[in-house]
Amino acid sequence: MKLRNAILFFILLLSIQVLAQKGSIKGRIFDAKTNQPIEFATILIQGTRISSTSDLDGNYIFTGVEPGFKRLVVSLIGFQTTVSAEFQVQGNQITFIDVPVEESTIQLKEVTVRQNFTAKKIESPLSVLSVGVQEIEKTAGANRDVSKVIQTLPGVGVTDPNRNDLIVRGGGPSENVFYLDGIEIPVINHFATQGSSGGTVGVINPDFVKDIDFYTGAFPASKGNALSSVMDIKQKDGSKDRLHTKLSVGASDAALTLDGPIGGNSTFIVSARQSYLQFLFAAIGLPFLPTYNDFQVKLKTRIDDKNEITFMGIGAIDDDALNLGIKNPTESQTYLLSYLPTYKQWNYTVGVVYKHFADTHYDTWVASRNMLRNTNFKYKDNNVDSTKTSDYKSDEAENKLRFERNYPDLPVKLSFGAGVKYSRYTNFTSRQLFLNSTVSNLVYTTQLGLFGYQAFVQASKEYFDDLLKLSLGVNFAGINYNQNMMNPLNQFSPRFSISYAVSTKFTLNGNVGRYAQQPAYTTLGFRDATGVLVNQNENLRYTVSNQAIAGIEYRPMEFMRMTVEGFYKQYDFYPLSVADGLSIASKGTNFGEVGDEQITSTGKGRAYGIEVLYKIMEMKKMNLTATYTYFRSEFTDAAGIYLPSSWDTRHMFNLIGSYKFRQNWNVAVRWRFIGGAPYTPILAISSNKAVWDISKQPLLDYSKFNSLRRANTHQLDVRIDKEFYFKKWVLNLYTDIQNAYNFKTQGAPIYTNLTSTPTSDGNGNLIYTPKTDPANPSNYVLRTIDNFAGTILPTIGIIIKI
């Protein structure tokens, strides 16, 4: 009866013909340099003939706008024609969009207005893409997760479809930096890998996101500490008309978002999200039960025309427990339960951004604090009354202050700034190691307080009526951990960009640069069994990467873009594991932590390849993106021999499309292909009982590191959306089907010491027991378990906005 009623209700929704389905757009046009309102500007809804004009206060309004994803085109004599960020208009709702415009430095001439495919600026004329609201909301297989949307971009790879690691142009997952409204946020994923940047589910609430500028190279000098990518996320402001409520229910969580005005000059947006993934995992018998919660807030106040201040906060609480209540677990479940620890983690970032606009420049002050607590532990035989075989608890906290000044109208566009930070790191570790053919215990406690600094300057100039654009920037940084890392000359990071418009359709772009990144706190705070900070010597340095990029951009039509880019990245002083004799680059894609071991900065690396992008936007309600990347990624071992990284899949291809049908239906598809990833065979000594019992996993044979390869993988995702517009609220129903044709991805072999046939424990429970080698009682008999992942994963989502 309930099912029949639900079906009848859905049919009724489909049959409703809503009369008032139009939306409205309001906002303000202002000078990007002075923040002063711009009057009499012409505002056009891109792709239409619908226009408006700003009033004396810079305000404008559109009414009766068809729902959908839109952009505005703003033009006025003396100012550059500007295309706004993408936004969504919904029926019976008001969308607020403020558009900053810059003064023009060239004589008035005919301007070609094009789709805003890219966020490129004079400092970064290539290797940067803009991700809009439509891609975040509607991409198939992404479930509105920011990191998973980014994984569809050219040059961005994945190690596991269930993780949010970003492998950018062959670099490691620890080489990425993230900004939220100008505030650096070290953690953007739940169950994050400490010392890296991966995780399972994104923390960023997509309801907050205005747009994302994603740099895969050619980083501006203001964005330090990045080797592979910079993700610059801009958040929406709260609504100015009234309080709005948005409820989102997805496959694994539910979120509530509120936004609206506070008085006449302030707006807010706040959200909370609660997962229920643990109930689903328990129902289907998975051996782990993850629970996550996150919170996000933004408060913006326009003090006056010259000053504004923004407060933001974001945080997450994660708990991954073991499902010890499984009745008669399978051999795979038994294996996972034997070695998986319990994870507990929480983190937050809070910050304030103050902007002051003067007549010739504008200033930005940023103060922030972020903290991560990472805990994991394992009881012997999963018995909480027994001793712990491993125990880890670590805190990372940073307090930062940064100042930037921009002069956009000087003969040479100039920006400069500096920042300081105080970091506090603590760690308690207790675990067993197999090192130098010996089983030993490692127990230590660390407390570190460190001061760091950074500064930058960037100068840019346009020539020949903007046909030729040049930019030169310098960044340097340091931290008082040792003399090498304190000396700014060791982290001196220049970069130079050039762009030349051969014609209105062809542009040639290039960049060379040197970039530096601080080692992870897990490395800085590691102590050996004697309690010594073994890495606090002159052998530990910032990792340095020298990079060169060249590309061509072709824009044959307003809605079409094609690019080809080649890149080469060379690494020096890459962290090298003393125990394993290998670069730690390939260790950043697991849960827990990475880098907490003895390290020397003697490793090298290289990554090189070519990317091709073809993109169509809003061509007769269709969007299409095709990307292909060929790359190689290699890092040296202790002997200086280059070996493939664990993500050296070589080939990546994405085909993404969407089409908007009548009656507010939208269909999106994504097909992806990834080459086979390398993996490493195991050592024969792994079967030794003393060795196996340390972690319940085999030891890898690093003399044959990544000498084997898995099969290629591919997957099809499909998403269908239907939106309903009522008089006072909006309903969005969607279904997302991941791995639609049920492709099975081959993983690296799984080894177990358990018998293949369970036995009864006398109480009606079937259990798998370890199998001893009859020829050598000090060893187990190891065997492999099939490791094929992938299943059809359909999900249903509901989004309600009032």
Side-chain angles (χ1 to χ4, degrees):
M1 180 65 71
K2 292 182 179 180
L3 178 60
R4 186 181 67 180
N5 291 339
I7 294 174
L8 289 174
F9 175 71
F10 185 72
I11 293 174
L12 178 62
L13 282 177
L14 293 179
S15 64
I16 290 176
Q17 298 296 318
V18 183
L19 298 178
Q21 294 188 353
K22 309 293 185 179
S24 299
I25 308 171
K26 288 184 178 181
R28 174 175 173 263
I29 310 300
F30 63 96
D31 190 314
K33 178 184 68 176
T34 66
N35 204 36
Q36 292 296 307
I38 295 178
E39 58 187 26
F40 307 127
T42 299
I43 306 103
L44 181 74
I45 299 178
Q46 191 172 51
T48 75
R49 296 181 180 180
I50 303 172
S51 64
S52 181
T53 303
S54 60
D55 63 18
L56 295 177
D57 296 319
N59 298 320
Y60 70 90
I61 184 172
F62 290 93
T63 59
V65 181
E66 289 286 346
F69 295 94
K70 313 290 184 182
R71 286 186 174 88
L72 300 179
V73 180
V74 181
S75 59
L76 180 67
I77 295 175
F79 290 84
Q80 297 181 21
T81 298
T82 302
V83 181
S84 75
E86 186 180 55
F87 57 92
Q88 186 176 15
V89 175
Q90 294 182 319
N92 300 307
Q93 302 282 328
I94 301 175
T95 302
F96 291 90
I97 298 294
D98 294 340
V99 184
V101 297
E102 297 181 357
E103 293 183 16
S104 177
T105 58
I106 62 175
Q107 295 180 349
L108 182 65
K109 62 180 183 179
E110 183 179 357
V111 177
T112 300
V113 179
R114 294 171 170 172
Q115 293 279 14
N116 188 23
F117 289 98
T118 173
K120 74 176 185 178
K121 302 176 181 179
I122 190 171
E123 301 90 349
S124 305
L126 75 173
S127 301
V128 56
L129 287 171
S130 179
V131 178
V133 176
Q134 183 171 193
E135 291 171 282
I136 296 170
E137 291 287 342
K138 305 299 185 183
T139 295
N143 274 323
R144 305 174 73 232
D145 189 313
V146 167
S147 293
K148 285 184 168 55
V149 174
I150 295 297
Q151 288 174 348
T152 68
L153 300 181
V156 184
V158 296
T159 56
D160 184 327
N162 298 314
R163 283 183 58 87
N164 279 3
D165 303 291
L166 297 180
I167 309 299
V168 181
R169 288 183 169 175
S174 62
E175 300 175 16
N176 310 302
V177 175
F178 313 97
Y179 288 88
L180 190 63
D181 280 347
I183 296 173
E184 186 175 351
I185 50 172
V187 179
I188 67 165
N189 291 302
H190 291 283
F191 304 105
T193 304
Q194 187 180 9
S196 187
S197 64
T200 55
V201 178
V203 174
I204 305 293
N205 184 340
D207 295 333
F208 277 67
V209 178
K210 179 180 179 182
D211 65 4
I212 302 171
D213 295 341
F214 188 72
Y215 300 79
T216 58
F219 312 127
S222 59
K223 302 293 192 278
N225 210 44
L227 300 181
S228 281
S229 80
V230 173
M231 187 189 299
D232 191 4
I233 306 171
K234 301 179 185 66
Q235 297 186 105
K236 301 174 184 176
D237 296 335
S239 297
K240 300 177 183 178
D241 59 337
R242 61 178 178 84
L243 177 66
H244 291 265
T245 302
K246 189 172 184 178
L247 175 64
S248 304
V249 179
S252 58
D253 54 51
L256 177 66
T257 303
L258 303 174
D259 73 287
I262 303 178
N265 297 321
S266 300
T267 62
F268 80 95
I269 178 169
V270 61
S271 75
R273 182 166 55 169
Q274 166 73 57
S275 76
Y276 39 77
L277 198 62
Q278 67 275 22
F279 302 116
L280 174 63
F281 279 25
I284 63 179
L286 290 182
F288 44 89
L289 304 174
T291 303
Y292 60 85
N293 304 270
D294 56 56
F295 317 91
Q296 197 167 339
V297 62
K298 176 181 179 179
L299 173 65
K300 183 176 181 179
T301 298
R302 185 183 172 200
I303 302 171
D304 53 39
D305 286 345
K306 295 291 186 180
N307 301 277
E308 64 182 38
I309 189 168
T310 301
F311 168 81
M312 62 77 63
I314 186 169
I317 303 172
D318 305 327
D319 188 351
D320 190 13
L322 298 180
N323 187 5
L324 301 178
I326 299 177
K327 182 72 173 179
N328 297 327
T330 66
E331 60 177 349
S332 178
Q333 292 169 335
T334 303
Y335 164 75
L336 291 172
L337 289 170
S338 71
Y339 80 87
L340 283 176
T342 297
Y343 293 101
K344 295 181 180 293
Q345 190 177 97
W346 57 261
N347 68 84
Y348 68 83
T349 299
V350 294
V352 176
V353 179
Y354 167 71
K355 288 189 175 182
H356 172 71
F357 299 88
D359 292 336
T360 59
H361 64 273
Y362 59 92
D363 296 337
T364 304
W365 289 88
V366 181
S368 66
R369 173 179 171 83
N370 56 264
M371 182 173 178
L372 164 70
R373 172 164 290 177
N374 185 31
T375 304
N376 59 73
F377 52 86
K378 181 71 175 178
Y379 286 98
K380 184 178 180 180
D381 298 325
N382 293 324
N383 183 354
V384 295
D385 295 325
S386 64
T387 59
K388 291 181 179 178
T389 58
S390 68
D391 197 3
Y392 180 90
K393 180 180 179 181
S394 176
D395 289 352
E396 293 182 10
E398 295 178 317
N399 302 280
K400 300 176 182 177
L401 178 65
R402 189 175 83 248
F403 168 76
E404 296 182 10
R405 172 166 288 185
N406 286 267
Y407 289 93
D409 294 333
L410 294 177
V412 175
K413 180 182 177 182
L414 180 67
S415 62
F416 59 86
V420 293
K421 70 176 179 180
Y422 173 72
S423 308
R424 182 166 177 80
Y425 175 77
T426 65
N427 186 312
F428 169 75
T429 292
S430 175
R431 68 174 186 262
Q432 286 187 314
L433 299 173
F434 183 75
L435 189 62
N436 298 324
S437 302
T438 304
V439 177
S440 59
N441 294 314
L442 175 64
V443 180
Y444 72 86
T445 300
T446 286
Q447 291 186 351
L448 281 181
L450 299 169
F451 286 94
Y453 65 90
Q454 62 97 17
F456 79 93
V457 61
Q458 185 119 27
S460 308
K461 178 70 174 175
E462 299 169 339
Y463 299 91
F464 311 123
D465 286 343
D466 289 355
L467 295 179
L468 177 64
K469 301 178 181 181
L470 305 176
S471 185
L472 177 65
V474 173
N475 180 289
F476 58 87
I479 192 170
N480 66 335
Y481 185 74
N482 60 23
Q483 292 299 316
N484 265 329
M485 297 169 65
M486 188 65 183
N487 185 352
L489 296 180
N490 291 335
Q491 289 80 244
F492 183 73
S493 304
R495 71 265 340 250
F496 174 73
S497 294
I498 182 172
S499 177
Y500 182 72
V502 179
S503 68
T504 58
K505 296 182 178 181
F506 280 97
T507 305
L508 301 177
N509 304 300
N511 172 271
V512 292
R514 184 177 192 262
Y515 310 99
Q517 185 181 57
Q518 175 191 308
Y521 290 110
T522 52
T523 298
L524 301 180
F526 175 75
R527 296 180 186 271
D528 65 8
T530 65
V532 175
L533 287 169
V534 292
N535 294 325
Q536 195 173 35
N537 53 56
E538 300 310 312
N539 291 326
L540 189 66
R541 304 182 59 165
Y542 276 67
T543 304
V544 171
S545 178
N546 300 301
Q547 303 183 15
I549 313 167
I552 183 171
E553 179 180 358
Y554 177 49
R555 298 289 296 270
M557 300 179 187
E558 173 188 341
F559 51 79
M560 187 179 299
R561 179 178 184 233
M562 301 171 64
T563 64
V564 178
E565 293 187 12
F567 61 90
Y568 184 85
K569 301 163 66 173
Q570 183 262 332
Y571 295 90
D572 285 320
F573 313 119
Y574 214 97
L576 191 77
S577 167
V578 172
D580 301 331
L582 291 169
S583 169
I584 69 168
S586 295
K587 293 187 175 184
T589 57
N590 295 316
F591 293 100
E593 61 283 337
V594 64
D596 56 331
E597 58 181 305
Q598 186 174 358
I599 294 293
T600 62
S601 295
T602 55
K604 294 182 179 294
R606 62 191 180 197
Y608 51 91
I610 188 170
E611 297 171 357
V612 180
L613 166 70
Y614 176 72
K615 193 175 185 74
I616 295 175
M617 290 188 67
E618 301 298 335
M619 186 183 74
K620 297 181 179 180
K621 299 183 179 181
M622 181 187 72
N623 294 289
L624 178 66
T625 302
T627 69
Y628 171 72
T629 304
Y630 173 80
F631 73 101
R632 297 294 302 272
S633 174
E634 301 169 322
F635 294 86
T636 60
D637 61 9
I641 299 173
Y642 281 93
L643 301 172
S645 68
S646 294
W647 49 83
D648 182 45
T649 57
R650 303 188 181 178
H651 300 278
M652 296 186 298
F653 178 77
N654 280 282
L655 183 62
I656 306 165
S658 67
Y659 189 84
K660 184 176 180 180
F661 293 88
R662 298 178 62 183
Q663 301 297 320
N664 302 312
W665 286 91
N666 189 86
V667 177
V669 296
R670 176 194 176 191
W671 186 78
R672 53 183 165 176
F673 172 91
I674 302 174
Y679 69 95
T680 306
I682 70 171
L683 289 169
I685 199 174
S686 299
S687 60
N688 181 274
K689 290 183 176 180
V691 174
W692 181 268
D693 288 341
I694 293 176
S695 63
K696 310 296 185 182
Q697 290 183 292
L699 298 178
L700 300 181
D701 185 355
Y702 290 127
S703 67
K704 300 177 182 178
F705 183 73
N706 282 345
S707 58
L708 305 174
R709 280 193 179 267
R710 291 180 277 177
N712 301 331
T713 66
H714 47 86
Q715 179 172 312
L716 175 67
D717 304 323
V718 180
R719 175 175 170 134
I720 302 173
D721 283 75
K722 168 64 176 174
E723 294 179 348
F724 302 89
Y725 299 106
F726 301 93
K727 187 173 182 180
K728 294 185 178 181
W729 60 290
V730 178
L731 173 64
N732 181 12
L733 302 177
Y734 68 88
T735 181
D736 194 305
I737 305 172
Q738 298 182 43
N739 196 21
Y741 53 73
N742 199 26
F743 180 81
K744 301 296 183 181
T745 299
Q746 178 189 1
I750 292 177
Y751 292 86
T752 180
N753 69 330
L754 303 177
T755 57
S756 58
T757 304
T759 58
S760 176
D761 64 355
N763 297 317
N765 299 314
L766 298 177
I767 59 173
Y768 292 86
T769 57
K771 184 177 182 180
T772 298
D773 185 351
N776 187 353
S778 63
N779 285 4
Y780 292 120
V781 174
L782 300 186
R783 61 184 182 86
T784 59
I785 302 175
D786 288 339
N787 186 18
F788 287 91
T791 185
I792 298 176
L793 185 59
T795 60
I796 297 175
I798 302 173
I799 301 174
I800 300 173
K801 184 176 181 181
I802 302 175

